[in-house]
Amino acid sequence: MAYKSTILITGGTSGLGYHAALDIARACPASQVILSSRSDKEQAAASINQALGQSNVVYAPLDLGDLAGVRAYAREFAAAQHAPLRALVLNAGLQFPGEVKTTVDGLEATFGINHVGHALLFHLLVPHLADNARVVVTSSGTHDPEQWSGMPPPIYASAEALAHPTPELAASHSGRQRYATSKLCNVLWTYALARRLSERCPQRGITVAALDPGLMPGTGLGREAGAAARFLFSQVMPRAIPVLRVLARTGNIHRPAESGAALARLAVGEEEEVRGVTGKYFEGRREIRSSRDSYDVEKQEELWRWTVGFLSGGDEEARRRFEELR
């Protein structure tokens, strides 16, 4: 079948991403929906196709913690001659509660996967974005110290300190704090990207927005945690969501299907509240202000410059390509 467009979702094989993919595939039967994650062996794609009686969902393996693998993925995407990308949903994310872990490229893994891998994927896929395409970044309310989240506040000194923390820094920052900081990076990068898209290629109409899906008991986010924490998050808390909302005094606790619908809406929804909207932050279906630090333009630019510099490896031609956003 010749599809009119393509929609790519990272982390689309489970939890939030799976439910978003299900809603997107249902709403866009004429688009090919690509689910990408480290490992799945096509079960999620087959499950969605069976549930909808369609065949427009496929699986493509992608490890965001391996930058050479991300580059290979982008080459394979180009070689497959997919229809233009209508939406790029940068949703995958991991949390490492214990000691510092690193990617194959030597980056602290939370920062490397949640930010750097996604940034590289975006830059490599820019030529394949359709006019008026949407880029959606899954962040988290944990990036905002003024919101209740139960997480340590993020600490952003520099991108280099996050990528290659010193032993002293690694010892003083917990894995949960590194996660919250990576989610702040998602919002900083969203705003830096939105500004560049508006300034350098406004004629293309590409938009970018960030989403806080809320706390979602039952997802695989905590799969790197200990056995007791995994059991609590996956088995106990999903059954207690109404109680949790009362105790936490927030409505921002959702089942994955609810947050998946909010993510799908940002990616392909036609409502006035999301169509053509760029450089904004949403909590579920509501546009809200993100954290104070996220509006710090110096932090946005520092993260952007470091990211482009690191990904280009000092090659000026590569740096120029990353910056052009053609």
Side-chain angles (χ1 to χ4, degrees):
M1 176 178 177
Y3 293 103
K4 294 181 178 179
S5 62
T6 303
I7 299 164
L8 195 160
I9 310 172
T10 68
T13 58
S14 64
L16 171 67
Y18 175 87
H19 288 284
L22 178 65
D23 282 2
I24 288 171
R26 180 187 292 113
C28 307
S31 297
Q32 184 170 60
V33 181
I34 303 175
L35 314 184
S36 291
S37 66
R38 285 190 303 174
S39 60
D40 177 80
K41 299 181 181 177
E42 304 184 357
Q43 295 100 320
S47 172
I48 293 174
N49 284 332
Q50 182 176 9
L52 300 179
Q54 298 173 186
S55 58
N56 60 321
V57 183
V58 297
Y59 167 73
L62 171 64
D63 182 355
L64 291 163
D66 179 353
L67 298 182
V70 176
R71 294 178 189 277
Y73 178 94
R75 288 194 298 270
E76 291 168 6
F77 184 93
Q81 297 184 323
H82 292 289
L85 279 164
R86 171 181 175 179
L88 176 59
V89 184
L90 305 178
N91 165 71
L94 282 178
Q95 181 180 162
F96 301 92
E99 62 184 22
V100 170
K101 295 188 178 183
T102 57
T103 68
V104 296
D105 302 286
L107 299 170
E108 189 282 312
T110 319
F111 179 74
I113 293 168
N114 296 358
H115 168 64
V116 180
H118 274 139
L120 177 60
L121 181 66
F122 166 79
H123 282 292
L124 296 176
L125 294 183
V126 165
H128 305 285
L129 291 173
D131 287 347
N132 302 311
R134 299 183 196 177
V135 180
V136 184
V137 182
T138 299
S139 180
S140 167
T142 62
H143 91 281
D144 187 352
E146 295 183 14
Q147 290 194 36
W148 177 89
S149 71
M151 297 282 276
I155 298 177
Y156 186 99
S158 71
E160 175 60 24
L162 297 176
H164 304 107
T166 63
E168 295 77 16
L169 197 62
S172 64
H173 292 181
S174 69
R176 295 164 72 241
Q177 193 161 52
R178 288 190 288 272
Y179 175 78
T181 305
S182 77
K183 296 289 101 178
L184 171 60
C185 291
N186 289 154
V187 186
L188 291 169
W189 186 79
T190 293
Y191 293 158
L193 174 59
R195 186 161 53 249
R196 281 164 172 79
L197 290 169
S198 297
E199 292 173 354
R200 300 181 184 184
C201 49
Q203 72 284 355
R204 295 196 61 188
I206 299 170
T207 62
V208 55
L211 172 75
D212 167 22
L215 177 64
M216 295 174 294
T219 65
L221 179 61
R223 59 185 174 271
E224 299 292 336
R230 289 200 308 272
F231 178 78
L232 179 66
F233 193 72
S234 64
Q235 301 298 323
V236 178
M237 291 175 65
R239 295 176 170 81
I241 286 177
V243 176
L244 290 173
R245 287 172 177 161
V246 173
L247 293 176
R249 297 182 181 179
T250 177
N252 197 26
I253 302 175
H254 305 285
R255 293 178 174 81
E258 296 169 336
S259 294
L263 182 57
R265 175 175 176 261
L266 279 182
V268 300
E270 291 301 322
E271 297 97 321
E272 185 178 329
E273 293 84 358
V274 296
R275 192 177 64 249
V277 172
T278 193
K280 300 298 182 181
Y281 178 81
F282 288 78
E283 180 185 87
R285 300 177 70 87
R286 297 187 307 131
E287 180 189 326
I288 66 168
R289 286 186 63 79
S290 51
S291 71
R292 294 181 186 181
D293 273 358
S294 69
Y295 293 106
D296 187 327
V297 175
E298 289 186 11
K299 285 185 171 67
Q300 295 169 11
E301 292 300 303
E302 197 275 340
L303 176 64
W304 183 273
R305 288 193 302 269
W306 181 92
T307 303
V308 169
F310 178 80
L311 294 178
S312 63
D315 183 322
E316 286 305 312
E317 176 59 28
R319 177 188 287 271
R320 207 157 34 245
R321 288 200 304 272
F322 282 137
E323 285 283 10
E324 281 178 350
L325 302 177
R326 290 181 294 182

